[in-house]
Amino acid sequence: IEHKGADTWLRMEDWEKCGGEVDLTALFGRECYAGIDLSLTDDISALALFFPKKEDEERHILKVFYWIPEEKAEIEAQNGIPYRKWIAEGKIKATDGNVIDHDDLAADIIGICKDFKMKRMEIDPWTSKTVQLALQKAGLPFGTVAQNLSSLGSPTQVFERMVKGGELNHGGDEVLAWMASNCQIHIHASGFYMVHKGKSGKLKVDGIVASICAVYGWVDDGSKLAKSSYLYEKNAKVILI
């Protein structure tokens, strides 16, 4: 699929340098931070798993899972987006009908996360209570993160620095690459910014948003925050984020 041009947030040449193999079975039992971007009805839902790099590793690892209603995939495919190909290749899971069943989605998420040492799972507080209750019942450490500049401004910049610095391994995820190429940003006077998909309804950024939510959990974790090496300059001051 053709990626968008230079008006997007991330440079695709930087993104492509973050490719590599990701073997999930080799990560079983490892510390993991998750972010969930949940559709309310018929859009894409995404679960991002972020595995912080160990001392002897050069890159963090990112794995994203996607769900879309079968009927929605058919409609979206008419816009030239290869949903049918991605579904056939197992890169996106198509669910029955025209909306995502949140009970089934919650079961999928729990099934995926059970193999890892989940430190935090971040989800929009205004999304499905069904999913939140299921995660809580399963004993997963889920929390909520508001989809606003105050919460996501800092982790968005951390995520950007990971990509630009080649410190991320996204496994060459074709779907996530497409979503990364769709990302635009709202820049606040403070210098912080948030990702959005622009005015086109057919472009999606759900996997990137879920990834930033996962990074939020890692950055916000007290033990990791104290050790973070991610810095940015603001008004000639160096601030630890």
Side-chain angles (χ1 to χ4, degrees):
I1 186 171
E2 183 178 355
H3 295 147
K4 295 190 63 176
D7 60 334
T8 55
W9 169 44
L10 298 171
R11 296 195 316 165
M12 294 317 294
E13 52 264 42
D14 291 336
W15 183 263
E16 290 165 3
K17 291 177 183 177
C18 293
E21 296 295 325
V22 172
D23 180 5
L24 274 184
T25 60
L27 297 171
F28 285 178
R30 183 159 164 170
E31 287 190 358
C32 178
Y33 293 80
I36 302 171
D37 189 70
L38 185 65
S39 66
L40 293 178
T41 53
D42 62 353
D43 207 348
I44 291 179
S45 289
L47 165 69
L49 301 183
F50 177 78
F51 301 89
K53 62 182 179 181
K54 296 181 178 180
E55 290 185 3
D56 60 343
E57 295 175 335
E58 296 182 352
R59 300 194 294 175
H60 308 284
I61 298 173
L62 180 66
K63 173 64 177 177
V64 184
F65 299 83
Y66 314 90
W67 294 260
I68 190 173
E70 179 75 30
E71 294 183 18
K72 180 70 171 181
E74 292 289 349
I75 295 172
E76 293 288 355
Q78 297 174 14
N79 293 320
I81 301 168
Y83 284 105
R84 302 312 311 169
K85 171 180 176 288
W86 289 336
I87 291 169
E89 294 173 348
K91 295 174 181 175
I92 298 180
K93 180 176 180 178
T95 63
D96 294 335
N98 59 2
V99 296
I100 287 182
D101 185 303
H102 285 168
D103 288 311
D104 290 345
L105 178 60
D108 282 351
I109 292 173
I110 293 167
I112 291 168
C113 293
K114 66 178 177 58
D115 293 318
F116 309 105
K117 184 179 179 180
M118 303 306 300
K119 299 291 290 183
R120 291 176 57 157
M121 302 179 69
E122 309 299 332
I123 189 171
D124 186 340
W126 298 104
T127 55
S128 170
K129 297 300 181 185
T130 299
V131 174
Q132 293 184 39
L133 289 172
L135 297 179
Q136 184 178 36
K137 185 176 180 180
L140 291 170
F142 90 94
T144 58
V145 54
Q147 304 296 294
N148 57 36
L149 188 70
S150 176
S151 296
L152 297 182
S154 175
T156 297
Q157 291 189 330
V158 171
F159 185 81
E160 179 183 44
R161 290 182 65 86
M162 289 178 185
V163 174
K164 288 183 175 181
E167 296 185 55
L168 188 69
N169 177 6
H170 51 56
D173 184 333
E174 184 179 353
V175 180
L176 196 62
W178 171 65
M179 292 181 174
S181 76
N182 295 335
C183 288
Q184 299 180 28
I185 54 173
H186 287 302
I187 302 178
H188 188 263
S190 65
F192 286 111
Y193 37 82
M194 281 186 62
V195 168
H196 70 100
K197 61 183 179 181
K199 297 180 179 179
S200 175
K202 70 178 183 179
L203 300 180
K204 309 299 179 186
V205 298
D206 310 84
I208 298 295
V209 172
S211 300
I212 292 171
C213 287
V215 170
Y216 166 88
W218 175 64
V219 171
D220 194 55
D221 187 307
S223 62
K224 299 297 184 296
L225 183 60
K227 300 175 184 178
S228 176
S229 62
Y230 291 96
L231 305 173
Y232 71 95
E233 292 188 6
K234 174 81 166 56
N235 298 329
K237 297 178 181 178
V238 177
I239 303 174
L240 178 66
I241 59 173

